[in-house]
Amino acid sequence: MAIMRTFEYSLADRSGKVVKGRIDAQNETAVANRLRSMGIAPLSIKEVVHGGLQTEIKIPGLSDRVTTKDLAVMARQMATMISAGLSLLRALTILAAQTENKALAKVLAQTRNDVETGGALSEALARHKTVFPPLMINMVRAGEIGGFLEESLVSVAENYEAEVKLRAQIKSAMTYPVMVFIMAILAVVGMLLFIVPVFKNMFEDLGGSLPWPTQILVMLSGVMKWLAPLLVVVVAVGSIWWKRHKNDDAVRSRVQPLMLRLPIFGPLFTKVAIARFTRNFGTMLGSGVPILQALEIVGETSGNWVIERAVKDVQENVRIGQPLAAPLAKHPVFPPMVVQMISTGEDAGALETMLGKISEFYDEEVSATTDQLTSLIEPLMIAVLGVIIGGMIVALYMPIFSIFELVG
């Protein structure tokens, strides 16, 4: 892959004022050609040398991460510019210049160079598979072949916007209980490490026997002195291991089926997976992607191992000529309503429309479920926190009731 460098150019506007800008390209010639294609006559072009205090600070895992929201905004803006009559090269140039995400801007500049040399947009996107998901690449390819690239980009934008909204709902519902849970753990550990030992020394100086709740608390305090560092190490190592292996088939095949069977959160995870599957499937069919290819892609993008395996089985059955709904009914992860609606859509020749209705229904179900979970978990977490902290305080102050007897 060619190395991209940053160049600074200057030009004179209509009032004669010198205006400066920056652009990423392989060399000065490429910069000049690109500016001319935009109708700009530069006065000077020079490479920007980064160093010292001006060096850009990059945080690993954050500054180089392209989110689903970034892709949704990019697809929406590109579709708007193409519908307004701008050429694909001009649209990519503008996107690379105005995109706030530096990593995405760099990739768009490279994509623009690949398209400029005669490559198709889908081929240029496919060279950056870590940035652009297979769903987006294949939908763009279908739009290029069918001559409806603008519509495909709009579908990509709508799909990712719905995905962003769905994730935001889940995060909004889970933020409060997770924060309360973390604060409860920190409060308990802090009391065991710093407050209980003070009371323990005071009780030992006074003499006498301690009530059994206080004895348990003192014992836990002693254990926590070596258990707390061990837990920190275990959590750190576990987090690193999970980050590296969470996408392995061996891990996903064990963890994700359990997630769907959890007492409270299992139904929510199932609804999220079905909403994502039907939305992606309907979007790809509407963009002209063949059904077998669409099934292969939506299985991988469903985000759940159970649905991915079920879709692979459905794909094999569809390959030999069976209707879509029949093999879906064999997998319990798909509710009967979903199977019947897909069967109706197949019979009526409106499968894309029916998949859209299913995804809308489950998006609303996810929203309702998250609201219910929030209203249920908030008082439950407060009650649990009150019982734990209150119990510890009572256990600490129980011996104080007999202090006057011991002093006397």
Side-chain angles (χ1 to χ4, degrees):
M1 183 179 297
I3 298 176
M4 303 296 292
R5 295 179 290 173
T6 302
F7 293 87
E8 185 177 75
Y9 63 88
S10 60
L11 55 94
D13 60 12
R14 294 181 179 180
S15 63
K17 184 179 178 180
V18 176
V19 180
K20 294 183 178 181
R22 291 190 177 187
I23 195 169
D24 292 333
Q26 299 176 20
N27 49 52
E28 293 184 10
T29 303
V31 174
N33 292 335
R34 188 177 304 177
L35 293 175
R36 290 193 191 98
S37 68
M38 298 169 62
I40 298 175
L43 299 175
S44 65
I45 299 174
K46 62 180 180 179
E47 184 176 357
V48 178
V49 179
H50 298 282
L53 295 177
Q54 294 182 348
T55 303
E56 182 180 1
I57 299 176
K58 294 184 178 180
I59 303 175
L62 294 179
S63 59
D64 57 348
R65 183 168 175 262
V66 179
T67 64
T68 304
K69 184 177 180 180
D70 294 326
L71 295 177
V73 173
M74 185 210 80
R76 178 71 67 181
Q77 292 177 340
M78 185 182 294
T80 301
M81 286 186 282
I82 291 176
S83 66
L86 275 68
S87 66
L88 182 58
L89 288 176
R90 185 82 179 271
L92 287 170
T93 302
I94 296 173
L95 284 173
Q98 73 178 20
T99 300
E100 296 181 359
N101 189 303
K102 300 298 182 183
L104 181 57
K106 184 177 180 180
V107 171
L108 286 172
Q110 295 171 351
T111 302
R112 197 266 182 203
N113 289 338
D114 293 336
V115 173
E116 189 177 20
T117 58
L121 177 60
S122 58
E123 295 176 355
L125 296 179
R127 295 185 180 182
H128 308 279
K129 293 184 178 180
T130 56
V131 176
F132 303 111
L135 182 140
M136 182 176 185
I137 295 171
N138 283 274
M139 288 179 64
V140 169
R141 181 178 292 118
E144 288 176 325
I145 296 174
F148 47 88
L149 179 59
E150 174 192 343
E151 290 80 0
S152 294
L153 289 171
V154 171
S155 297
V156 171
E158 292 175 347
N159 183 281
Y160 286 148
E161 286 165 357
E163 184 72 17
V164 169
K165 182 180 178 181
L166 183 64
R167 292 181 180 181
Q169 289 176 343
I170 297 173
K171 288 181 180 179
S172 176
M174 297 304 298
T175 298
Y176 180 80
V178 169
M179 290 301 299
V180 171
F181 181 70
I182 293 175
M183 293 300 295
I185 292 178
L186 293 177
V188 170
V189 172
M191 291 184 66
L192 290 175
L193 289 177
F194 303 108
I195 297 178
V196 174
V198 175
F199 281 82
K200 175 186 175 184
N201 295 332
M202 182 179 66
F203 296 150
E204 288 178 349
D205 293 339
L206 294 174
S209 60
L210 298 176
W212 65 266
T214 310
Q215 293 179 16
I216 294 175
L217 206 59
V218 170
M219 180 190 66
L220 291 176
S221 176
V223 172
M224 189 58 64
K225 291 180 179 179
W226 60 266
L227 184 60
L230 179 62
L231 288 175
V232 171
V233 174
V234 170
V235 170
V237 173
S239 300
I240 296 173
W241 182 89
W242 175 254
K243 186 175 181 181
R244 292 181 178 179
H245 299 283
K246 64 180 180 180
N247 293 324
D248 295 350
D249 283 342
V251 176
R252 295 176 65 230
S253 63
R254 289 174 173 81
V255 174
Q256 292 182 353
L258 293 177
M259 292 174 60
L260 299 184
R261 291 196 291 266
L262 289 175
I264 298 177
F265 296 97
L268 175 61
F269 294 144
T270 302
K271 293 173 183 177
V272 170
I274 293 176
R276 183 179 291 124
F277 161 72
T278 52
R279 181 170 55 252
N280 292 345
F281 193 21
T283 302
M284 296 202 74
L285 292 180
S287 297
V289 179
I291 186 170
L292 289 176
Q293 185 178 357
L295 283 170
E296 181 178 359
I297 295 169
V298 297
E300 297 174 356
T301 58
S302 64
N304 189 276
W305 184 87
V306 177
I307 287 186
E308 181 179 338
R309 293 298 171 185
V311 171
K312 285 186 177 180
D313 177 62
V314 171
Q315 182 185 10
E316 294 302 320
N317 284 273
V318 172
R319 194 187 305 275
I320 60 177
Q322 290 189 11
L324 183 65
L328 278 177
K330 300 178 182 178
H331 300 277
V333 70
F334 296 106
M337 186 199 76
V338 173
V339 177
Q340 292 299 322
M341 290 183 69
I342 289 178
S343 177
T344 303
E346 279 187 302
D347 296 339
L351 181 58
E352 173 198 347
T353 303
M354 197 63 72
L355 288 169
K357 292 184 179 296
I358 296 173
S359 66
E360 290 175 2
F361 172 80
Y362 276 98
D363 283 340
E364 294 176 359
E365 281 288 296
V366 169
S367 179
T369 303
T370 51
D371 291 340
Q372 293 173 1
L373 286 177
T374 302
S375 60
L376 173 66
I377 292 176
E378 285 184 10
L380 184 62
M381 292 294 293
I382 293 174
V384 171
L385 181 60
V387 169
I388 294 175
I389 303 298
M392 293 178 67
I393 294 175
V394 171
L396 285 176
Y397 280 91
M398 284 179 67
I400 295 180
F401 300 141
S402 59
I403 282 181
F404 295 105
E405 298 179 4
L406 295 174
V407 173

